[in-house]
Amino acid sequence: MKKKLIVAIFIFCSSCFGGSANTGKVKSYKPGWVMTQKSSYRVGLLSDDWKREKLGRYKSLLLYNSKAKASLESDAFCDASFDDASLQTLTTHLHFDLKNKKIISQKELKLDSRSALHTVAQGSVDGVNFVLDTVVIKKDNCLFDFALVVPPENYEGVKKEFEGFYSGFHFEGSLP
């Protein structure tokens, strides 16, 4: 049940920015690389515990770690498929459906020479408590988001791996 809920949370989050017609631009993934419809971006490597999940029509990267009962998501929205809002506002979109939300930490950081906003929150959906760790960055008319959803008791065991994943971000630019 929790796995289905975590996948449902990502479906909700991935539709926040572009609506159902623009549900992300991720085309494929191989360790260290995310390919989109018109570009690619590098990410950090993950352990073999993370397996790719399919999201049907949603074009987001979703990886699931069954040992930690955790999901990791990344997505890219380009070509004016998102509002040119602040990183804070875009982060709020990712946290929109959280009940009893508590922000644990929030800080700006640099990824690929751009400002990014890293937010760790705790809350619940349908009575299930979890940590939602997100990073949002805009670069070259694109929005990139990274998110980790994990039960609170398993967060410490996967947060460093998530940090390594998003810290490896480097946008390769648009393809011809």
Side-chain angles (χ1 to χ4, degrees):
M1 176 64 177
K2 280 189 179 184
K3 181 178 178 182
K4 288 183 181 181
L5 177 63
I6 289 171
V7 170
I9 290 167
F10 280 117
I11 290 170
F12 170 79
C13 289
S14 64
S15 65
C16 286
F17 294 118
S20 61
N22 294 309
T23 54
K25 304 292 183 186
V26 172
K27 190 167 75 171
S28 64
Y29 169 75
K30 64 180 182 178
W33 287 94
V34 179
M35 298 299 295
T36 69
Q37 291 173 346
K38 295 183 180 179
S39 64
S40 64
Y41 58 101
R42 283 190 251 158
V43 291
L45 296 174
L46 296 167
S47 71
D48 292 338
D49 293 334
W50 296 93
K51 306 294 181 206
R52 184 148 189 212
E53 294 281 327
K54 297 295 180 185
L55 289 175
R57 67 187 174 114
Y58 293 90
K59 297 175 187 157
S60 300
L61 172 63
L62 176 63
L63 302 166
Y64 183 72
N65 180 327
S66 61
K67 290 180 184 176
K69 296 179 179 63
S71 290
L72 185 155
E73 179 265 352
S74 183
D75 211 340
F77 300 90
C78 298
D79 303 327
S81 64
F82 69 96
D83 292 331
D84 190 22
S86 70
L87 294 175
Q88 178 67 49
T89 299
L90 295 167
T91 297
T92 301
H93 289 207
L94 289 173
H95 296 175
F96 183 72
D97 209 27
L98 282 179
K99 303 292 184 220
N100 305 312
K101 179 174 77 170
K102 177 182 175 189
I103 300 295
I104 306 298
S105 66
Q106 187 168 67
K107 65 180 179 180
E108 281 196 30
L109 54 100
K110 290 284 187 189
L111 290 178
D112 201 14
S113 302
R114 294 293 172 94
S115 291
L117 186 61
H118 178 220
T119 305
V120 180
Q122 191 165 346
S124 65
V125 172
D126 291 340
V128 177
N129 292 320
F130 58 89
V131 172
L132 177 58
D133 188 340
T134 61
V135 175
V136 177
I137 180 172
K138 293 190 292 186
K139 184 166 184 166
D140 298 344
N141 199 34
C142 293
L143 167 68
F144 302 90
D145 62 69
F146 299 89
L148 173 70
V149 174
V150 60
E153 63 271 16
N154 297 346
Y155 179 61
E156 290 299 319
V158 293
K159 78 176 186 177
K160 287 287 186 198
E161 200 163 14
F162 178 60
E163 181 180 303
F165 184 76
Y166 71 74
S167 292
F169 174 79
H170 176 72
F171 183 48
E172 295 294 316
S174 297
L175 299 173

